[in-house]
Amino acid sequence: MAAAASPIVLPGDAIDPSLIPTSNKKRPLRLGPGLRHVPPDTLQSTVAGELITDPKKNTMYIEYNSRRYIASPNDLVIGQIHHSSADLYYVTLNPHAPQALLPHLSFESATKKTRPQLDRGQAVYARVAMANKHMDPELECVSQQTGKSEGLGPLSGGTVFAVSLGLARRLMLPRPREDGGVAVLDLLAEEEGLVFETAVGRNGRVWVGSESVRTVVVVGRALAEVDERGAGFGEEAQRKLVRKLVRETKA
């Protein structure tokens, strides 16, 4: 039996209480991009798009395709160092948004003597620690719970590709992908001779690191093609695309 289609909402719409996940009592409800809480007990959409709910994780968000990123707490993002002050790095998340603030000591085991020295243009993988409309977003490259980087921090070398926010979110979904996830990076990794690393930012940035220029080109072309084709471009079509790109770059 086919799953029911997710409802479409418009800016200012109140979310029907029957759509709010309630099955997982152990987790508090978490609101993602496109939703806000209006006291005392109303949830409201701030953008037009598809309402996505995950009862297992007790999460809700609005799926919408845009290139204008609005920072939200706990988002993983890829930014570039713009400049530095005595205590902060100023990080560009996209060209049309305020710069985010990254404290010098917000790295694993960082002290004033051991903190990383990041130059202008350096790419960093970070988590949004704080974001609201009255302040510039604040980033962190360390878990406040464990004190470890957990994969966050400076991204050495590599190339950063810009994609739509919708594709970025879908790339971050785990398998199985029946809910709209994208398999293209996994399919590329299965191809013999393609060895690379990736980091995906919710702000529409994908970092690709590889010793092979050819590999970086193939991954970049695949991302652009999947982004252009949209959500209807399924896993089998992505597999054919990957094989086509690999053949073309071998020629």
Side-chain angles (χ1 to χ4, degrees), residues 185-196 210 212 214-215 218-219 239 242-243 245-247 249-250:
L185 293 179
D186 295 321
L187 297 173
L188 286 163
E190 293 170 2
E191 290 291 324
E192 184 177 356
L194 296 186
V195 180
F196 60 95
S210 176
S212 166
R214 168 183 171 264
T215 296
V218 170
V219 176
R239 188 183 304 276
V242 167
R243 291 172 178 169
L245 292 175
V246 170
R247 287 197 305 270
T249 57
K250 283 183 178 178

Side-chain angles (χ1 to χ4, degrees), residues 134-148:
H134 303 295
M135 300 175 61
D136 292 337
E138 184 170 317
L139 308 179
E140 60 185 4
C141 290
V142 63
S143 168
Q144 296 299 327
Q145 286 71 42
T146 66
K148 303 295 184 180

Side-chain angles (χ1 to χ4, degrees), residues 152-180:
L152 303 178
L155 296 170
S156 300
T159 301
V160 176
F161 295 96
V163 300
S164 68
L165 300 187
L167 178 61
R169 187 201 65 79
R170 292 165 58 215
L171 285 168
M172 300 173 85
L173 291 173
R175 277 182 163 170
R177 303 180 183 278
E178 286 79 9
D179 54 358

Side-chain angles (χ1 to χ4, degrees), residues 16 46 77 96-97 111 124 150 185 209:
D16 188 328
T46 61
V77 294
H96 309 294
T111 67
V124 291
E150 299 183 353
L185 293 179

Side-chain angles (χ1 to χ4, degrees), residues 54-225:
D54 186 336
K56 292 183 179 180
K57 296 182 180 180
N58 255 21
T59 59
M60 302 176 67
Y61 60 91
I62 304 298
E63 173 61 66
Y64 63 102
N65 209 12
S66 170
R67 293 190 180 270
R68 181 175 180 270
Y69 171 69
I70 300 174
S72 182
N74 296 312
D75 280 357
L76 295 176
V77 294
I78 294 174
Q80 288 187 302
I81 302 298
H82 185 272
H83 67 281
S84 175
S85 66
D87 300 307
L88 297 168
Y89 290 111
Y90 291 81
V91 182
T92 301
L93 297 181
N94 66 43
H96 309 294
Q99 289 172 347
L101 309 178
L102 175 59
H104 287 177
L105 300 183
S106 193
F107 295 84
E108 183 176 346
S109 304
T111 67
K112 289 186 177 180
K113 292 184 178 181
T114 64
R115 63 181 177 84
Q117 303 292 323
L118 305 182
D119 296 326
R120 180 183 176 92
Q122 169 74 58
V124 291
Y125 198 30
R127 181 186 296 106
V128 178
M130 183 174 61
N132 62 61
K133 63 182 180 180
H134 303 295
M135 300 175 61
D136 292 337
E138 184 170 317
L139 308 179
E140 60 185 4
C141 290
V142 63
S143 168
Q144 296 299 327
Q145 286 71 42
T146 66
K148 303 295 184 180
S149 66
E150 299 183 353
L152 303 178
L155 296 170
S156 300
T159 301
V160 176
F161 295 96
V163 300
S164 68
L165 300 187
L167 178 61
R169 187 201 65 79
R170 292 165 58 215
L171 285 168
M172 300 173 85
L173 291 173
R175 277 182 163 170
R177 303 180 183 278
E178 286 79 9
D179 54 358
V182 179
V184 67
L185 293 179
D186 295 321
L187 297 173
L188 286 163
E190 293 170 2
E191 290 291 324
E192 184 177 356
L194 296 186
V195 180
F196 60 95
E197 298 177 283
T198 60
V200 181
R202 189 64 181 83
N203 58 323
R205 297 293 184 269
V206 180
W207 174 84
V208 180
S210 176
E211 295 182 357
S212 166
V213 174
R214 168 183 171 264
T215 296
V216 173
V217 170
V218 170
V219 176
R221 288 180 60 187
L223 289 171
E225 185 80 13

